[in-house]
């Protein structure tokens, strides 16, 4: 049973591509935000010799890990971005064909996640959308269900919206793209064990309006917004190779949830299933049988929804827990929603638990 929770951001850009911060500056921001780990994902750049723990006994430590955001530079606009973790080396040479890229990552023992699958265009800025286009591709580990910068682009479809959102993004952002959630459910319902993550897509981009220069989304602010929480079966120890393996193995298995901390801290959320002599957590399977019960626990009162096979099967408002007795096989996940500044916002998205009469049906 996974019992140790670690929070990190898995989509971060540095000065090595189109980000504004150095690795040390970003590590400082992560420590300030209370993160446990950060994965750097510069565009078509894999950086060696930077992984390890950063910090000291006084301020604490954050684990820095290498990743990559890969896309075909020759294709315009640059769609089909893939977040690559734990591959050990650059795989951008395979970027021309998304299926080939996913296979190359798999051969390296890495994990691959489709980045911002429904990223919108911002026409008045001349900013194209960079969504997932080649949807015939499969075999990837998961989906970036919530990309914070894509959510921001959805809020700035006019100049007036942009001026407000640039300085108070938390006022306008309410959740991930509904079409991305629907896509995730669709894939899960067809038997594909697609792991969901949430990320900042952090750049700390500067922009100028007249005499005013403003940094949109400093790293420390973004690291306090949408993150991925990974649940491991044993604690991190400070050994880089072991801890990297522990985190990525748990993520591959789907023992993770997405948390948006602006409406309130999401640490401590749990989703589990209990049956007669058996149990399961996120990412695991449990056989359908008498008394199989799902339980969602959130760290503060919220509206909790249990989604089964893409449909709401249980829902309660202003509660800290919700249980549901399972009556049919399928894929079950949890959503938590909380009010912030008078508007209900997405707060927590769990990875699913698989309830099946035949565990072999769902293959990793």
């Amino acid at each position: 049973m996974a019992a140790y929770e670690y929070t990190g951001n898995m989509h971060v850009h540095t000065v090595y591509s189109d980000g504004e911060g150095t690795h040390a500056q970003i590590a400082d921001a992560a420590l300030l935000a209370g993160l446990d780990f950060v994965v750097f994902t510069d565009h078509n750049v894999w950086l060696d010799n930077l992984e390890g723990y950063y910090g000291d006994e006084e301020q604490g430590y954050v684990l820095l890990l290498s990743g990559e955001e890969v896309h075909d530079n020759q294709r315009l606009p640059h769609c089909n971005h893939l977040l690559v973790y734990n591959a050990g080396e650059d795989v951008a040479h395979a970027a021309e064909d998304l299926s080939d890229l996913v296979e190359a990552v798999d051969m390296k023992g890495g994990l691959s996640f489709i980045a911002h699958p429904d990223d919108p265009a911002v026409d008045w800025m001349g900013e194209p959308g960079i969504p997932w286009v080649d949807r015939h591709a499969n075999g990837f580990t998961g989906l970036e269900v919530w990309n914070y910068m894509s959510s921001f682009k959805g809020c700035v479809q006019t100049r007036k919206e942009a001026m407000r959102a640039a300085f108070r993004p938390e006022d306008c952002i309410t959740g991930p793209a509904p079409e991305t959630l629907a896509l995730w459910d669709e894939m899960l319902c067809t038997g594909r064990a697609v792991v969901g993550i949430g990320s900042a897509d952090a750049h700390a981009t500067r922009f100028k309006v007249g005499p005013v220069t403003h940094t949109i989304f400093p790293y420390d602010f973004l690291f306090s917004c949408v993150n991925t929480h990974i649940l491991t079966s044993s604690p991190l120890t400070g050994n880089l190779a072991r801890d990297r393996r522990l985190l990525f193995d748990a993520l591959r298995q789907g023992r993770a949830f997405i948390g948006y901390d602006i409406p309130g801290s999401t640490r401590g959320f749990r989703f589990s299933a209990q049956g007669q002599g058996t149990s399961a957590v996120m990412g695991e399977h449990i056989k359908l049988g008498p008394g199989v019960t799902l339980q969602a626990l959130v760290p503060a009162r919220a509206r909790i929804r249990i989604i089964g096979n893409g449909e709401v099967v249980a829902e309660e408002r202003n509660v800290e827990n919700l249980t549901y007795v399972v009556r049919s096989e399928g894929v079950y996940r949890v959503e938590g929603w909380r009010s912030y500044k008078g508007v209900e916002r997405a707060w927590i998205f769990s990875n699913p638990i698989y309830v099946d009469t035949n565990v072999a049906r769902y293959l990793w």
Side-chain angles (χ1 to χ4, degrees), residues 256-327:
F257 67 89
I258 301 162
Y260 180 40
D261 281 348
I262 292 297
S265 173
T266 57
R267 283 186 185 263
F269 166 77
R270 296 293 184 268
F271 177 41
S272 61
Q274 289 79 35
Q276 294 181 350
T278 185
S279 63
V281 295
M282 290 176 287
E284 295 183 342
H285 302 262
I286 188 169
K287 288 185 178 181
L288 182 64
V292 170
T293 303
L294 304 176
Q295 183 177 41
L297 301 173
V298 299
R301 289 184 176 273
R303 178 166 68 101
I304 307 175
R305 296 159 31 118
I306 296 178
I307 312 295
N309 299 323
E311 303 290 337
V312 178
V313 296
E315 182 173 15
E316 292 285 348
R317 295 180 179 273
N318 196 33
V319 295
E320 294 183 2
N321 66 82
L322 179 61
T323 60
Y324 174 72
V325 178
V326 180
R327 295 177 175 84

Side-chain angles (χ1 to χ4, degrees), residues 14 77 104-105 148 153 169 189 213 228 246 249 291 293-294 312 334 339:
T14 78
V105 175
Y148 199 75
K153 289 175 70 176
C189 289
T213 299
T228 298
L246 192 66
D249 283 352
T293 303
L294 304 176
V312 178
V334 169
S339 178

Side-chain angles (χ1 to χ4, degrees), residues 5 50 173 339 346:
E5 178 181 347
L50 67 83
I173 292 175
S339 178

Side-chain angles (χ1 to χ4, degrees), residues 65-87:
L65 296 170
S66 288
E68 186 175 18
E69 184 176 5
V70 181
H71 63 274
D72 181 6
N73 274 324
Q74 302 305 310
R75 183 169 180 170
L76 297 175
H78 293 158
C79 56
N80 294 332
H81 288 217
L82 192 73
L83 295 169
V84 176
Y85 308 126
N86 203 41

Side-chain angles (χ1 to χ4, degrees), residues 12-194:
V12 180
H13 297 279
T14 78
V15 292
Y16 282 87
S17 59
D18 56 351
E20 298 291 338
T22 65
H23 293 94
Q25 289 169 336
I26 293 169
D28 284 338
L31 286 169
L32 184 63
L35 293 189
D36 300 303
F37 66 93
V38 170
V39 187
F40 296 109
T41 54
D42 282 305
H43 294 284
N44 294 342
V45 176
W46 185 278
L47 298 173
D48 290 321
N49 303 316
L50 67 83
E51 293 189 318
Y53 281 91
Y54 177 97
D56 54 40
E57 291 186 4
E58 181 177 350
Q59 63 180 339
Y61 294 90
V62 60
L63 176 59
L64 307 183
L65 296 170
S66 288
E68 186 175 18
E69 184 176 5
V70 181
H71 63 274
D72 181 6
N73 274 324
Q74 302 305 310
R75 183 169 180 170
L76 297 175
H78 293 158
C79 56
N80 294 332
H81 288 217
L82 192 73
L83 295 169
V84 176
Y85 308 126
N86 203 41
E89 61 182 66
D90 179 28
V91 291
H93 60 85
E96 184 175 354
D97 183 274
L98 183 58
S99 295
D100 290 344
L101 176 58
V102 169
E103 183 179 359
V105 175
D106 188 59
M107 291 180 64
K108 299 291 183 183
L111 294 78
S112 56
F113 286 77
I114 301 292
H116 38 69
D118 295 292
D119 186 75
V122 185
D123 293 335
W124 69 270
M125 291 181 62
E127 180 74 20
I130 44 176
W132 176 28
V133 173
D134 295 343
R135 298 202 171 185
H136 61 274
N138 54 43
F140 44 84
T141 311
L143 196 70
E144 190 180 40
V145 172
W146 194 350
N147 177 293
Y148 199 75
M149 293 310 300
S150 288
S151 293
F152 176 71
K153 289 175 70 176
C155 292
V156 295
Q157 294 298 302
T158 68
R159 292 178 183 271
K160 182 178 180 180
E161 290 174 337
M163 287 301 296
R164 180 175 66 252
F167 291 91
R168 303 291 302 209
E170 67 275 18
D171 286 356
C172 71
I173 292 175
T174 58
E179 56 266 41
T180 303
L181 282 174
L183 172 65
W184 190 29
D185 281 329
E186 178 184 345
M187 290 190 291
L188 291 172
C189 289
T190 58
R192 300 170 65 181
V194 178

